Amino acid sequence: MRNNNSITGRIDWILVILLISLVLMGMATLYSAAFNQNYPNIFDISQLYGKQLIWIGISLFFGFIVYLIDSDIYKKFAIPIYGVILFLLVIVLFMPAVNGARAWLGIGSLGIQPAEFAKIAAALVLAKFISESNLKVQNNRVVLLAFSIILIPMILILLQPDAGTFVVFTSFLFVLYREGITFDPIILNITNSFPGVKFKQTWVGTHFIPISLIIIVLAIFTILLSRLAVSFVFLPSFEISGFVFITVVLSVIGFIGFFVVQQYSSKRDRSNLTSAIILGYILSLTITFTVHFGFSSLASHQKERIEFFLGMREDPDGEDYNRNRAMAAVGSGGINGKGYKNASVSSVRANHVPESETDFIFCPFAEEWGFLGSLILISIYTAVLIRIVFIAERQRSVFNRVYAYCVVMIIFYHVAINIGMNIGFAPVIGIPLPFFSYGGSSILSFTIMMFILLKLDSQRMDVLR
Amino acid sequence: MNTESRKYVIIVFIFLVGISYVIRLFYMQILDESWMLRAQEIAEKRKEITPNRGAIFDRNNKQIVSNKVYYNLMFVEDKLHNFDANAFAKMLGWTKEQVLARFEEIKKGEGTYYNRHSKKRTSNYLKSRAYPFLKELTLDEILKIAPFLDKFPGFYEEATSMRSYPFANGANILGYLSEVTGEEIKKDRFYKPANNIGRTGLERYYEKELRGRKGIKYVVASAMNNTIQPYANGKYDTVSKPGANLILGIDISLQAYCEKLMQNKKGCIVSIEPSSGEILSFVSAPSFDPNLLIGKRNISQNYPKLNKDPNLPLYPRPLASEYPPGSIFKLVQGLVGMQEGVITENTGFPCNKSMVGCHGHAMATDIPKAVQYSCNPYFYYVMKKIIQQGKKKNTFADAEIGLAKWVKYMNSFGLGIKLQTDITGIKKGLIPGPAFYDKWYGHHNWQFNSIQSISIGQGEVKLTPLQMANIAVIIANKGWFYTPHFVKSISGKGPLERLKIKNYTMVESKYFPAVIEGMRRVVNEPGGTANSAKLTDIIIAGKTGTVQNPHGKDHSVFIAFAPLDNPKIAIAVFIENSGFGGTWAAPTASLVIEKYLTGKITNESKEKRIIDAKLSNIEIERE
């Protein structure tokens, strides 16, 4: 008999300890950033830190209840939960707007954001769907259904509008990729409709994640280089445009790849690899050309938006107010930081960095603890993510694994975008830093999400019974 | 299809993002300084606490410079609500246009700055910041406005301090304050726009002591520019230190009395306590009321007038006017002659009027008599013996050696060099040396006969009245002096170190009594040139001078010290264009001495004569 009489018996303590340390660091940072000398008590519920403690308490309470529920219920009730959340997402659109977004479902002063919980619901349904589908035989139906599960809440969230959570939903694409969902059926339908084309499979549909990453990186480089003229140290007077430069670099890589393949690959792989390289080369060039000429044909205000996003344009007191000040706060931290409670730029009362208690909570942390603190925080988040990947891979049920991967990618998106906003790597779209930012919905939804994962993980052996 | 290996894509992706973020943070937080500067620009504000400027007291602890509270009428544009410009103008007795124009003037006055991030030029004027609408209002002026200010929210009064001079005397000693220039702000980070700096006199010389040390409070400011909390719990704050109080050697009542004596005259009185070198009074006539140059309003109104006045009231004559000393110079020559051994105190010379004019007197058979009669030919002989000592056969070369030596003697008396007195604007006078005459006549082309007039303090020789007074000090002390100075104590710690050093002249003290005896006779014996300075109870030793003035009436000079056996005061009086030294300068000096030593005047008719005298046609203000 497995250790079922002990609730804590098989809980993943490594993950729990990492999460508790995040919550403590977040609480300490909030207490410092939002510190009010007149109300120094951390339990003072008139202050942000007191409220946050209440939310942590509520979250732990719900988390505990979640942990008591048998894990089977999630698979059983995934679709009803999803339905309720979709319903709430519709209801919320009829609520009065707060800060220009209809995101809040108010119960007195305690408002919650259904969008935060939609992520959990979508993860559960996606897990259920994939675990019950036969992915060996993929057809349009499976792909489209999987896609719709993600797309419906996304559209509702975009209507609020909540760009941040909308973007977070694209994290599920990574999960689909991990589970082997391929867009080939759809793509083949299109390509094979051309006369004379008869593909059996495309790389694009199957490896859509690496390919889209390559596309994004190429596109960003193309735009970044579009304005520049590249000159060489060894040829000082010789200048070429950035666009020509990137084309030349791609061609050189293509040639080298081609000759390496011809020279060293086994006969069996040669033709495949050769065609892959030729295809990749043509594809890259196409992307570069498209982005380059597409970008230059954009209207100037659209170009500006993109240039802001890529940091090619500055307007510290206007468009870029938040990010510029956030970066100043982070950058002024130095190696050791300014010391606890000494954040001069990003304390909430100073109000130099708006939202420094929620979306920009990384600012006061990085300002007070400097590079070493930032390094530790990023390490902890990375450790959390890797630990959950590890947990995901040890699951015996597909449902559990898919759900775990959903959690990995949701948290990864939140962390990457949130910290990215603070260091100029991501556009300013308001999403909280998990377990760190002030905010009831955020802490509650992430806690529940985690407890479901911990529960699933603790009962992973039950599948054998 | 087995997709388990795809977990590596995800793991690698997570790691890549983590590493790139860490690299980025390393760059932002450690390598790139610009974010640090940007953060300082945004949040950390230095708040300066300007200490009170030190006060100034006279030798009897009477406060002669103090700080008086004035009021600025301040406003913060953001806090103006329903501002009624008409009513406001009416309250001030202005027109509405004047009020609006003043607002514009303030905005323009703040200038603009160039934002290199946004590449835009914006005004420094901030609506959230306080600016003075009216500056330097007196209590009476602000009392007319203050009761109505609650009708104009956003306006409020703010006290500032400015100098105040309870005695209207000593303007040339004290100097004045005025607003710092851009150059000065650049040079010294102590100053901020609208700060005051000592412009002349002691205010300038002791600027660093008087201004104190600014305290700096680092505060963290919010986006609205309101102070919110001390930065780092005040770890980097410095406490402000009030400016040092100065105690002067000046006796302000004596100063006032001297100024009164010098009314309607041009010239100087400098009196010094010989034992300490402390300057007791220091008059440059005509002078001005220091209260005329307080604050921007007064300065802009009065300074141009004073500056254009042909009588130069702003000019500190005792330091900066270089006059031929006349006969008082003979005292020094007698001393040098004895020290050099070319004469003794009993050496006599005939009054040979063929060399230089003299007045009728008995032959000077020794130094005291020569001094008493102020015999011109006598000191010609003395000077000739000093200059032409016969050390070289070539008289030109001989004169060169003699004059070079003589210059050293003069310098040891503080002549021809800048006295290190604690005030700016000191001139060194002129003691012509070999180089001077080489330039004038050519090398080895001059000897005593060419330069003889310097022996009686005429010709090329020039002294400042301060140097003349210092000669009296040296003789009173029999051969040494402390550098004459104004400040006897800086916040109770004594004068500057270098003013505590005794300077010895090259003449030994044993040679002085003969000269002093001569000076006693000048005042106290019949036939002396300064009998008009004689007092019944106090023995004054003095020497007159009458400086030939090619441009007009002779200048009247007198140096003296008293009492004879225990000198408490040494004095030089120089009255331009008034005639004989014995007629004007000597009685004036005696009044000062009597006033200082006894506090009263016995001979009131003498006092009245001096006060009422309108000597040296003070020029009426012209265009």
Side-chain angles (χ1 to χ4, degrees):
Chain A
M1 189 68 206
R2 300 247 172 215
N3 198 359
N4 258 358
N5 47 4
S6 162
I7 290 173
T8 57
R10 267 172 284 157
I11 197 161
D12 190 76
W13 282 111
I14 296 179
L15 182 56
V16 170
I17 288 167
L18 287 171
L19 293 176
I20 288 174
S21 60
L22 282 177
V23 171
L24 290 179
M25 286 163 81
M27 201 54 224
T29 306
L30 183 67
Y31 183 62
S32 155
F35 185 70
N36 184 337
Q37 278 176 320
N38 301 328
Y39 304 96
N41 191 336
I42 195 168
F43 298 106
D44 194 317
I45 60 162
S46 69
Q47 300 301 312
L48 292 179
Y49 30 90
K51 286 180 186 156
Q52 179 78 342
L53 277 178
I54 289 180
W55 277 114
I56 290 172
I58 291 173
S59 303
L60 284 175
F61 173 73
F62 279 102
F64 189 64
I65 289 176
V66 163
Y67 199 78
L68 292 179
I69 299 169
D70 192 86
S71 63
D72 286 353
I73 200 165
Y74 300 112
K75 200 166 177 181
K76 276 182 199 153
F77 286 94
I79 292 171
I81 293 171
Y82 185 72
V84 170
I85 292 289
L86 285 187
F87 177 70
L88 290 179
L89 284 176
V90 174
I91 292 286
V92 86
L93 295 177
F94 298 97
M95 291 290 146
V98 178
N99 294 334
R102 298 170 200 281
W104 293 85
L105 213 54
I107 311 163
S109 63
L110 294 175
I112 58 157
Q113 292 168 287
E116 294 286 340
F117 300 95
K119 286 176 270 189
I120 305 176
L124 289 172
V125 171
L126 200 62
K128 182 180 164 71
F129 175 74
I130 290 174
S131 66
E132 289 171 359
S133 303
N134 182 3
L135 295 179
K136 295 260 156 57
V137 195
Q138 291 192 19
N139 53 29
N140 285 357
R141 196 187 135 273
V142 173
V143 177
L144 287 176
L145 263 179
F147 212 59
S148 321
I149 292 170
I150 306 166
L151 207 59
I152 294 167
M154 269 175 98
I155 291 166
L156 288 171
I157 286 164
L158 195 61
L159 288 173
Q160 293 184 354
D162 179 352
T165 313
F166 175 82
V167 171
V168 170
F169 267 79
T170 62
S171 65
F172 291 123
L173 292 174
F174 282 83
V175 182
L176 298 183
Y177 169 72
R178 164 64 186 87
E179 292 305 321
I181 295 241
T182 168
F183 288 92
D184 266 6
I186 299 169
I187 295 171
L188 287 176
N189 270 346
I190 299 166
T191 53
N192 289 2
S193 66
F194 289 100
V197 182
K198 269 270 179 277
F199 284 135
K200 278 191 188 141
Q201 64 160 38
T202 66
W203 283 49
V204 181
T206 313
H207 296 279
F208 59 95
I209 285 292
I211 284 174
S212 37
L213 287 178
I214 290 170
I215 290 174
I216 290 169
V217 169
L218 257 181
I220 289 176
F221 268 103
T222 308
I223 295 174
L224 283 179
L225 287 170
S226 66
R227 284 266 194 86
L228 299 174
V230 181
S231 59
F232 302 94
V233 182
F234 49 88
L235 269 176
S237 59
F238 181 70
E239 267 189 5
I240 56 171
S241 79
F243 174 63
V244 174
F245 176 71
I246 199 165
T247 316
V248 169
V249 169
L250 283 175
S251 304
V252 169
I253 293 173
F255 268 108
I256 292 171
F258 185 79
F259 282 110
V260 168
V261 166
Q262 298 308 315
Q263 213 56 42
Y264 299 104
S265 66
S266 66
K267 261 200 180 132
R268 194 162 59 87
D269 295 340
R270 189 170 295 165
S271 66
N272 261 344
L273 285 172
T274 309
S275 52
I277 283 174
I278 293 172
L279 205 70
Y281 176 62
I282 293 170
L283 206 66
S284 316
L285 277 192
T286 316
I287 294 161
T288 314
F289 272 72
T290 316
V291 170
H292 179 72
F293 292 107
F295 182 69
S296 37
S297 65
L298 285 176
S300 65
H301 72 274
Q302 289 168 319
K303 267 192 211 171
E304 270 181 30
R305 299 293 322 165
I306 294 170
E307 284 172 350
F308 268 123
F309 168 51
L310 293 175
M312 296 160 74
R313 186 180 280 271
E314 284 186 335
D315 186 9
D317 295 317
E319 286 280 344
D320 215 15
Y321 185 92
N322 287 18
R323 194 165 68 163
N324 178 272
R325 278 159 195 252
M327 288 170 78
V330 172
S332 66
I335 298 177
N336 300 319
K338 296 179 185 171
Y340 189 56
K341 280 192 185 172
N342 279 336
S344 54
V345 181
S346 55
S347 82
V348 173
R349 291 216 298 159
N351 200 24
H352 289 302
V353 183
E355 302 290 325
S356 64
E357 74 278 18
T358 55
D359 297 346
F360 286 102
I361 188 89
F362 183 72
C363 282
F365 178 82
E367 192 180 351
E368 288 178 355
W369 300 99
F371 175 71
L372 295 179
S374 311
L375 178 65
I376 289 169
L377 188 67
I378 289 177
S379 304
I380 293 177
Y381 273 117
T382 308
V384 166
L385 293 170
I386 299 300
R387 184 67 195 170
I388 305 176
V389 170
F390 175 78
I391 289 172
E393 291 294 341
R394 77 184 176 193
Q395 301 304 314
R396 301 184 176 199
S397 85
V398 177
F399 177 85
N400 286 9
R401 187 179 68 220
V402 174
Y403 178 77
Y405 265 110
C406 287
V407 174
V408 171
M409 291 320 297
I410 290 170
I411 292 177
F412 172 74
Y413 260 55
H414 271 267
V415 174
I417 294 175
N418 185 288
I419 296 181
M421 287 187 323
N422 288 284
I423 59 176
F425 267 13
V428 178
I429 48 172
I431 58 171
L433 192 56
F435 305 103
F436 218 85
S437 288
Y438 170 78
S441 298
S442 153
I443 196 103
L444 182 58
S445 67
F446 278 113
T447 310
I448 290 175
M449 186 191 287
M450 271 303 166
F451 270 98
I452 293 174
L453 175 69
L454 290 168
K455 182 65 182 180
L456 291 174
D457 179 55
S458 73
Q459 288 189 327
R460 65 182 183 272
M461 298 303 183
D462 296 359
V463 178
L464 289 177
R465 283 185 311 200
Chain B
M1 194 188 330
N2 181 10
T3 56
E4 204 193 320
S5 60
R6 290 188 179 180
K7 73 177 178 191
Y8 295 114
V9 174
I10 289 171
I11 290 173
V12 166
F13 188 53
I14 290 170
F15 269 116
L16 276 181
V17 169
I19 290 167
S20 64
Y21 277 31
V22 168
I23 291 171
R24 170 70 170 170
L25 280 161
F26 184 80
Y27 176 74
M28 276 177 73
Q29 297 188 301
I30 298 175
L31 300 182
D32 188 0
E33 288 278 290
S34 68
W35 290 113
M36 180 79 82
L37 299 174
R38 175 74 182 133
Q40 277 167 0
E41 198 178 299
I42 292 170
E44 288 158 26
K45 297 259 184 313
R46 285 154 50 104
K47 226 183 171 179
E48 289 183 338
I49 303 148
T50 311
N52 278 338
R53 199 173 170 88
I56 301 179
F57 298 85
D58 89 334
R59 68 187 295 113
N60 300 316
N61 279 323
K62 282 186 199 157
Q63 190 161 6
I64 52 178
V65 181
S66 61
N67 296 310
K68 193 171 163 188
V69 178
Y70 286 78
Y71 299 87
N72 289 341
L73 180 60
M74 310 293 291
F75 75 97
V76 179
E77 187 171 340
D78 267 349
K79 293 184 181 163
L80 300 181
H81 293 303
N82 307 321
F83 178 65
D84 184 348
N86 276 318
F88 190 72
K90 207 173 160 194
M91 177 186 76
L92 296 178
W94 293 17
T95 65
K96 187 184 173 185
E97 287 68 38
Q98 283 175 308
V99 170
L100 299 178
R102 174 69 187 138
F103 278 121
E104 272 311 301
E105 185 191 0
I106 292 164
K107 274 174 210 173
K108 272 199 193 134
E110 285 302 304
T112 57
Y113 84 102
Y114 184 68
N115 185 328
R116 62 198 157 77
H117 290 286
S118 65
K119 310 225 166 22
K120 268 184 239 163
R121 189 165 279 288
T122 44
S123 173
N124 288 329
Y125 178 85
L126 285 180
K127 287 184 174 184
S128 56
R129 200 167 279 175
Y131 296 95
F133 188 83
L134 290 175
K135 274 186 186 175
E136 299 170 5
L137 301 174
T138 63
L139 184 61
D140 286 344
E141 285 170 315
I142 195 78
L143 278 180
K144 282 179 199 149
I145 299 172
F148 308 105
L149 280 183
D150 54 351
K151 286 183 200 155
F152 305 101
F155 276 90
Y156 61 95
E157 69 207 63
E158 187 186 77
T160 69
S161 94
M162 286 199 296
R163 286 307 216 192
S164 159
Y165 306 96
F167 299 87
N169 306 107
N172 294 106
I173 307 168
L174 303 171
Y176 69 101
L177 300 178
S178 71
E179 221 165 271
V180 282
T181 63
E183 278 298 298
E184 283 159 338
I185 295 172
K186 248 185 242 167
K187 238 193 260 166
D188 189 340
R189 294 184 56 194
F190 181 90
Y191 301 103
K192 292 282 165 313
N195 278 177
N196 281 329
I197 187 170
R199 191 57 68 199
T200 59
L202 297 181
E203 294 277 24
R204 175 170 169 188
Y205 194 88
Y206 285 98
E207 172 67 18
K208 287 226 164 83
E209 286 80 7
L210 287 168
R211 71 187 188 185
R213 198 176 64 204
K214 269 188 181 173
I216 295 169
K217 225 173 161 178
Y218 288 90
V219 292
V220 177
S222 75
M224 305 311 294
N225 244 324
N226 300 317
T227 305
I228 57 160
Q229 63 198 43
Y231 173 63
N233 293 325
K235 197 162 56 175
Y236 305 107
D237 294 1
T238 53
V239 184
S240 73
K241 200 175 137 197
N245 287 341
L246 302 183
I247 295 172
L248 305 189
I250 294 287
D251 179 333
I252 194 66
S253 45
L254 185 70
Q255 173 76 20
Y257 183 67
C258 293
E259 286 184 24
K260 195 174 168 196
L261 293 177
M262 289 300 283
Q263 69 184 20
N264 300 317
K265 300 164 192 74
K266 254 192 217 175
C268 312
I269 298 179
V270 178
S271 63
I272 302 173
E273 183 177 69
S275 59
S276 64
E278 289 159 20
I279 297 172
L280 300 167
S281 69
F282 180 92
V283 177
S284 177
S287 183
F288 63 98
D289 181 347
N291 291 299
L292 289 178
L293 295 183
I294 298 175
K296 212 175 175 181
R297 269 164 90 195
N298 279 321
I299 290 174
S300 60
Q301 207 180 339
N302 297 324
Y303 185 83
K305 275 191 222 162
L306 291 169
N307 198 30
K308 270 191 221 151
D309 189 332
N311 297 312
L312 308 177
L314 293 171
Y315 190 58
R317 288 178 174 75
L319 312 169
S321 265
E322 294 166 320
Y323 302 102
S327 298
I328 60 168
F329 203 50
K330 293 171 183 165
L331 302 173
V332 185
Q333 309 323 314
L335 290 166
V336 174
M338 287 187 277
Q339 177 70 39
E340 275 296 286
V342 294
I343 57 166
T344 69
E345 72 178 86
N346 295 319
T347 305
F349 292 108
C351 181
N352 183 351
K353 293 196 181 69
S354 67
M355 293 174 66
V356 59
C358 200
H359 48 99
H361 58 77
M363 180 181 151
T365 54
D366 54 15
I367 284 281
K369 277 185 189 140
V371 169
Q372 182 184 357
Y373 305 144
S374 192
C375 177
N376 288 342
Y378 186 95
F379 288 99
Y380 261 70
Y381 286 119
V382 173
M383 189 70 169
K384 187 171 184 175
K385 282 186 172 260
I386 295 169
I387 302 295
Q388 309 279 186
Q389 295 195 18
K391 294 197 169 149
K392 283 256 164 98
K393 276 199 179 140
N394 181 337
T395 50
F396 297 110
D398 192 39
E400 187 180 7
I401 294 169
L403 189 70
K405 192 168 220 175
W406 176 78
V407 167
K408 277 188 187 151
Y409 273 103
M410 292 304 107
N411 291 348
S412 81
F413 277 76
L415 311 179
I417 55 167
K418 251 188 200 175
L419 285 171
Q420 296 299 305
T421 298
D422 49 352
I423 200 158
T424 50
I426 289 199
K427 294 264 174 71
K428 58 182 183 180
L430 178 59
I431 295 296
F436 180 92
Y437 288 115
D438 279 354
K439 212 189 260 173
W440 203 328
Y441 298 108
H443 187 59
H444 283 190
N445 210 3
W446 53 270
Q447 37 100 345
F448 174 71
N449 287 340
S450 331
I451 64 174
Q452 56 184 358
S453 59
I454 62 172
S455 56
I456 54 164
Q458 292 288 159
E460 295 77 42
V461 173
K462 278 179 181 147
L463 305 187
T464 65
L466 183 66
Q467 287 169 325
M468 297 178 196
N470 198 39
I471 292 174
V473 167
I474 292 166
I475 296 171
N477 288 336
K478 299 195 178 77
W480 57 268
F481 66 100
Y482 287 113
T483 301
H485 55 275
F486 290 99
V487 174
K488 72 188 258 188
S489 183
I490 303 166
S491 54
K493 288 181 193 129
L496 298 174
E497 282 305 314
R498 61 178 165 73
L499 300 175
K500 295 178 185 168
I501 298 165
K502 250 188 202 183
N503 302 290
Y504 285 91
T505 61
M506 287 161 67
V507 178
E508 289 167 62
S509 58
K510 63 180 178 192
Y511 297 115
F512 281 85
V515 171
I516 293 171
E517 171 58 19
M519 289 171 74
R520 186 192 69 77
R521 292 184 197 171
V522 165
V523 179
N524 297 289
E525 299 292 329
T529 51
N531 288 161
S532 60
K534 187 178 178 184
L535 295 173
T536 45
D537 299 330
I538 302 160
I539 301 173
I540 298 176
K543 177 77 193 79
T544 56
T546 305
V547 180
Q548 289 165 20
N549 177 11
H551 309 296
K553 228 175 158 188
D554 292 347
H555 304 313
S556 171
V557 197
F558 184 67
I559 67 169
F561 64 87
L564 181 73
D565 43 0
N566 181 22
K568 294 277 184 220
I569 179 170
I571 188 168
V573 177
F574 195 102
I575 304 180
E576 291 181 27
N577 311 110
S578 60
F580 287 118
T583 320
W584 296 108
T588 305
S590 78
L591 290 168
V592 175
I593 289 169
E594 188 179 14
K595 187 79 174 179
Y596 178 68
L597 294 178
T598 68
K600 56 182 197 290
I601 295 296
T602 47
N603 188 342
E604 281 173 17
S605 63
K606 179 153 90 178
E607 184 185 35
K608 190 169 183 310
R609 174 177 161 262
I610 299 292
I611 291 174
D612 291 347
K614 288 193 165 73
L615 300 169
S616 6
N617 49 330
I618 294 269
E619 294 169 57
I620 314 299
E621 205 171 315
R622 300 177 299 205
E623 270 306 295

